[in-house]
Amino acid sequence: MKLLRYGQSGQEKPGLLDSTGRIRDLSAHIHDVNGAALDAATLARLSALDPTTLPQVDGNPRIGACVGNIGKLICTGLNYTDHAIEAGLPIPTEPVIFSKWTSSVCGPNDDLKIPRGAQKTDWEIELGVVIGTCGSYIDEADALNHVAGYCIINDVSERAFQLELGGTWDKGKGCDTFAPIGPWLVTRDEMSDPGNLKMWLEVDGKRYQNANTSTMIFNVPFIVSYMSRFMSLQPGDVIATGTPSGVGMGVKPHPVYLKAGQIVHLGIEGLGEQRQRTVNA
């Protein structure tokens, strides 16, 4: 299934994308696409529905983040060797973990707000993993059984805040609109191999990132298992698994950063596309 949330910000309704690309309303069956609706039993019940019996949503509504009320947004840093090299940082021997504030979450096509005082706002396409079953100390062999599905995340980063103001990376990672998520949550049964997905990102039509999740240093099962050693993973938590090379910071000979009035367009095979317009906050 391709689950989504549509409507005005803060008033999103749950939906399902049918085989013809039309949105079908799920409001009669779940309150929201959130942790409470992502357990295996609920997903099986939704999967058994005939989409043609669900109300069709007319027009072209705004698409919200595909997961509502996210509990934790946990990120994996430097998870592609080529990105670590372009960033001038050591290739990790264990996953680098940091957080983005949930207030940074927005819809996949919402405006991307460049913060006041920003100098080096950058892009990062990432595969998102949505947790459906809670767990701690999860065995790697069982890790995917805790996953509800997958989505696209643009881990937008303000590099000056992240790297030049001291302290942790979090200052440059959690600004408002810095986590466009969606358009869809594609359930695990429809995504047989999250470790072999094409991914790309363009700014104003120029392709900067063009890669495949197969080049991740740490794969999805390992990341889920590893993170569960340090915190319980709960339904509705979202994990960002890292970005490949091609970020603005890594452009040679001179880095390229976002400014107001640009279009960021990105996609992952089987998970849809995002398109953001940059504006000044």
Side-chain angles (χ1 to χ4, degrees):
M1 289 181 295
K2 293 181 174 67
L3 301 175
L4 55 89
R5 302 169 66 249
Y6 68 95
Q8 296 181 12
S9 180
Q11 302 178 39
E12 293 92 346
K13 296 181 180 180
L16 177 153
L17 195 74
D18 70 18
S19 61
T20 67
R22 294 183 175 89
I23 298 174
R24 301 284 181 164
D25 182 36
L26 281 175
S27 297
H29 300 275
I30 55 173
H31 175 69
D32 198 357
V33 180
N34 58 14
L38 296 177
D39 62 280
T42 301
L43 292 178
R45 177 169 58 84
L46 296 177
S47 181
L49 297 172
D50 179 356
T52 64
T53 66
L54 301 172
Q56 181 175 315
V57 178
D58 295 326
N60 187 30
R62 170 189 173 271
I63 303 298
C66 60
V67 182
N69 304 117
I70 293 171
K72 297 190 289 293
L73 179 50
I74 318 156
C75 302
T76 313
L78 306 174
N79 195 28
Y80 291 75
T81 299
D82 54 2
H83 175 56
I85 291 171
E86 74 175 353
L89 296 170
I91 297 170
T93 56
E94 293 199 22
V96 176
I97 298 175
F98 63 94
S99 298
K100 290 175 82 82
W101 318 130
T102 54
S103 54
S104 68
V105 173
C106 65
N109 305 314
D110 289 347
D111 287 349
L112 193 167
K113 298 178 182 178
I114 297 177
R116 297 176 185 178
Q119 304 171 40
K120 300 177 180 179
T121 303
D122 206 345
W123 56 82
E124 295 189 19
I125 186 171
E126 307 204 7
L127 172 67
V129 178
V130 182
I131 299 298
T133 301
C134 65
S136 299
Y137 305 104
I138 298 168
D139 288 337
E140 185 176 348
D142 188 48
L144 293 185
N145 291 325
H146 291 260
V147 173
Y150 305 94
C151 61
I152 303 172
I153 300 175
N154 187 359
D155 174 20
V156 184
S157 307
E158 168 43 49
R159 302 299 187 188
F161 295 179
Q162 176 191 358
L163 301 172
E164 299 171 18
L165 297 185
T168 68
W169 286 2
D170 299 344
K171 294 176 184 177
K173 292 287 189 174
C175 303
D176 289 357
T177 74
F178 270 27
I181 296 180
W184 318 311
L185 188 168
V186 179
T187 52
R188 182 164 53 92
D189 59 301
E190 288 196 11
M191 188 59 61
S192 60
D193 188 4
N196 186 23
L197 301 174
K198 296 176 183 178
M199 56 200 311
W200 53 270
L201 182 145
E202 299 174 348
V203 179
D204 288 344
K206 180 175 179 178
R207 184 157 297 195
Y208 286 94
Q209 294 189 279
N210 194 24
N212 192 294
T213 58
S214 63
T215 61
M216 286 193 290
I217 298 171
F218 306 106
N219 65 19
V220 171
F222 184 88
I223 290 170
V224 171
S225 174
Y226 185 86
M227 287 185 174
S228 75
R229 292 165 48 187
F230 305 100
M231 69 198 87
S232 62
L233 297 179
Q234 300 164 337
D237 287 349
V238 177
I239 297 171
T241 58
T243 196
S245 64
V247 300
M249 177 177 63
V251 175
K252 302 293 188 296
H254 303 293
V256 176
Y257 296 112
L258 295 171
K259 57 183 182 295
Q262 296 184 293
I263 298 295
V264 183
H265 185 202
L266 57 151
I268 297 180
E269 181 180 2
L271 298 178
E273 299 181 8
Q274 299 185 355
R275 185 184 296 269
Q276 295 110 32
R277 178 177 62 113
T278 57
V279 299
N280 289 321

